[in-house]
Amino acid sequence: MLTRCGRCAGKPVECRTVCHDSANKRVMEFTLITLLNGLSYGLLLFLLSSGLTLIFSMLGVLNFAHASFYMLGAYFAYAISAKLGFWPALFLAPLLVGLLGALVERFGLRHVRRHGQVAELLFTFGLSYLAVELVQLVWGKSPLPYAIPAQLDGPLFTFYSTEFPIYRGFMMLLAVLTLLAAAWLLKRSRLGLLIQAALTHPQMVEALGHNVPRIFTLVFGVGCGLAGLAGVVGGNAFVTEPGMAAGVGSIIFVVVVVGGLGSLAGAFIASLLIAILQTFAVALDVSLLGGLARLGIEIDPAAAAYPLLQLTLAQVAPILPYLLLVLVMLLRPRGLLGVRD
């Protein structure tokens, strides 16, 4: 039966069917696209935090300069892609960042380590500021035009009226392949078994003739290289500028602590959890005040809680990871899958 629907601008429609189907489509479209955006961001966070987790599990070093290697990966990729293109930069930039990380461990951290963990933290803290200043001296303070390559620029698919970019799908695929490669390297390869043995029984590994300090240098370089790889694919997806390290630096530590210090699986779960939580919070621009109004509850604007009730989820989204960190520390101080104090 045809009737007139106020929600459909007064046009004659079959309200029970058309409006219900349209609402379902909007909900499905919002849910799927927001979930995919959260997954792509979460996998990028894991690519970044996995290096820090690997370094801490091996060396016990919380590297405050880890986000700076992410930044350097983006800047190196921009410089290389301007000369050789994006695909060579995808391989060369992480190698350069990993080599730089190995040099930092060999000629910096190795000598500082004898003075304790406080000296290590101060060293990496100072290194993070040094990296930012050097980047500003070489490339300036303005954002760089580090663009997505033409081959990966465009929609991967269209779901109803929303397009999902090819590049986000590429980021997700690269992160998953890197995760699988790291898992195989650590669990199946001879080098991975040697690394795990050096973690638990370094004296025995050294007695068998292996150079344990060299293994530590290799692990630190690989961890920094993973951060550099995240910078290569994240720099053009977001923005390449000197403040990019500070923008993700705190989130990395939230991921590592919530997941559990030293746990790659925990970092993976925490990365996806935090990214999806933030992405949905940003997309859901609703407030408690609006929800109460729909229930017929009116709040006096003069009430003390009125400004807080006005806040939308999008406005409080930046603090949600830190709220999750506080809750995890209260309920499970070792994190979700923590293996170390």
Side-chain angles (χ1 to χ4, degrees):
M1 177 181 178
L2 293 179
T3 182
R4 291 187 178 274
C5 175
R7 292 180 61 188
C8 299
K11 297 180 181 179
V13 292
E14 296 177 57
C15 288
R16 292 180 181 272
T17 303
V18 176
C19 292
H20 182 70
D21 289 348
S22 178
N24 283 343
K25 288 179 180 179
R26 287 197 299 270
V27 171
M28 290 173 60
E29 179 181 8
F30 167 81
T31 303
L32 178 63
I33 298 300
T34 307
L35 180 61
L36 287 174
N37 285 332
L39 285 174
S40 64
Y41 178 46
L43 288 170
L44 179 67
L45 278 182
F46 173 70
L47 195 60
L48 184 53
S49 61
S50 61
L52 182 59
T53 301
L54 187 64
I55 290 170
F56 181 81
S57 65
M58 277 294 296
L59 283 76
V61 177
L62 274 175
N63 181 15
F64 279 179
H66 195 72
S68 299
F69 291 103
Y70 164 76
M71 174 186 66
L72 290 174
Y75 275 91
F76 288 172
Y78 167 75
I80 295 171
S81 61
K83 301 291 185 182
L84 304 176
F86 174 76
W87 299 108
L90 181 64
F91 294 97
L92 293 177
L95 288 177
L96 289 175
V97 174
L99 177 61
L100 182 61
L103 292 175
V104 166
E105 198 284 332
R106 174 63 183 84
F107 298 104
L109 273 176
R110 186 178 298 185
H111 298 283
V112 172
R113 189 173 297 124
R114 68 187 68 168
H115 301 293
Q117 290 186 332
V118 174
E120 290 176 341
L121 293 177
L122 291 175
F123 175 81
T124 57
F125 185 73
L127 187 63
S128 65
Y129 280 93
L130 178 63
V132 172
E133 293 299 326
L134 288 175
V135 161
Q136 291 178 349
L137 285 174
V138 176
W139 285 285
K141 297 182 179 181
S142 301
L144 296 181
Y146 178 31
I148 292 173
Q151 306 96 315
L152 299 175
D153 192 11
L156 179 62
F157 64 87
T158 302
F159 189 72
Y160 293 124
S161 61
T162 305
E163 296 179 344
F164 187 74
I166 294 177
Y167 195 72
R168 283 192 176 267
F170 170 73
M171 288 168 55
M172 296 168 70
L173 177 63
L174 182 65
V176 170
L177 291 177
T178 304
L179 170 62
L180 294 175
W184 177 85
L185 179 68
L186 289 174
K187 300 296 183 181
R188 300 293 181 183
S189 70
R190 183 176 181 274
L191 177 61
L193 295 175
L194 188 61
I195 289 173
Q196 292 185 71
L199 169 64
T200 54
H201 300 89
Q203 294 86 359
M204 181 66 69
V205 172
E206 199 160 21
L208 291 173
H210 298 287
N211 191 328
V212 173
R214 187 178 297 169
I215 294 174
F216 288 168
T217 300
L218 174 64
V219 170
F220 195 89
V222 170
C224 293
L226 288 173
L229 179 61
V232 174
V233 297
N236 50 13
F238 300 101
V239 62
T240 299
E241 49 93 18
M244 65 188 297
V248 299
S250 57
I251 295 294
I252 301 171
F253 282 95
V254 171
V255 167
V256 171
V257 174
V258 169
L261 292 173
S263 172
L264 278 175
F268 179 73
I269 295 172
S271 298
L272 296 184
L273 178 63
I274 289 171
I276 292 173
L277 178 66
Q278 265 198 308
T279 305
F280 271 96
V282 169
L284 290 169
D285 196 15
V286 295
S287 66
L288 282 176
L289 189 65
L292 292 173
R294 290 183 181 182
L295 296 174
I297 303 174
E298 298 293 334
I299 305 296
D300 187 355
Y306 191 82
L308 291 177
L309 295 175
Q310 273 188 314
L311 293 175
T312 65
L313 269 177
Q315 290 176 303
V316 301
I319 70 170
L320 291 179
Y322 308 103
L323 178 61
L324 179 64
L325 172 65
V326 172
L327 290 176
V328 169
M329 288 295 97
L330 288 173
L331 301 175
R332 191 177 175 84
R334 285 196 171 197
L336 298 178
L337 298 174
V339 295
R340 293 188 62 164
D341 293 326

